[in-house]
Amino acid sequence: MAYDQNNIFARILRGDLPCKKAFENEHVLAFHDIRPLAPVHVLVIPKGAYTSLDDFHEKASEAEQAALMKAIGQVARQAGVAAGGYRVIANTGGDGHQEVPHLHFHVLGGRPLGRMIGRPE
Ligand code: AMP
């Protein structure tokens, strides 16, 4: 899938749309989800134009990949959920119900999150 330069997170990265920033470095931006599903719900994204985890693994440099992984841990610690526990989710593609086509990790915590996913009916 070609990268859509006008997806919401690309616009946030360009500064065209505001975000509530939680963390930033050379390779990564993290900001609070606009519709939080838990007391802590932060999205961690690479600054590079990658649609999904597959795309990222294929094209991103080792430095970008390491920075993203490290940032997830830093965000969790900074948000105060590292000790109590949290969940990291990367919805990917159609079956994964990915809505925004720019790779992002959800960091969720601050309450018991229950089972990972519901069982099919
Ligand atoms: P996903 O279904 O994994 O693609 O999740 C996309 C997430 O982006 C959802 O949790 C949305 O609430 C969130 N979202 C959409 N627009 C914004 C925005 N402008 N700022 C912050 N989060 C957003």
Side-chain angles (χ1 to χ4, degrees), residues 79-100:
V81 294
Y86 59 99
R87 183 170 294 157
V88 179
I89 300 173
N91 295 323
T92 305
D95 283 356
H97 209 286
Q98 180 178 2
E99 287 179 359
V100 179

Side-chain angles (χ1 to χ4, degrees), residues 8-9 12 31-35 43 91 97-100 104 106:
I8 293 169
F9 296 167
I12 286 176
F31 50 93
H32 296 272
D33 197 290
I34 206 164
R35 293 178 62 217
L43 300 171
N91 295 323
H97 209 286
Q98 180 178 2
E99 287 179 359
V100 179
H104 51 283
H106 297 254

Side-chain angles (χ1 to χ4, degrees), residues 14 16 18 29 45 49 53-54 67 70 76 79 81 85 88-89 105 119:
R14 282 200 298 273
D16 295 347
L29 178 68
I45 72 172
L53 204 46
D54 285 339
K70 218 168 160 181
V81 294
V88 179
I89 300 173
F105 286 88
R119 294 191 185 280

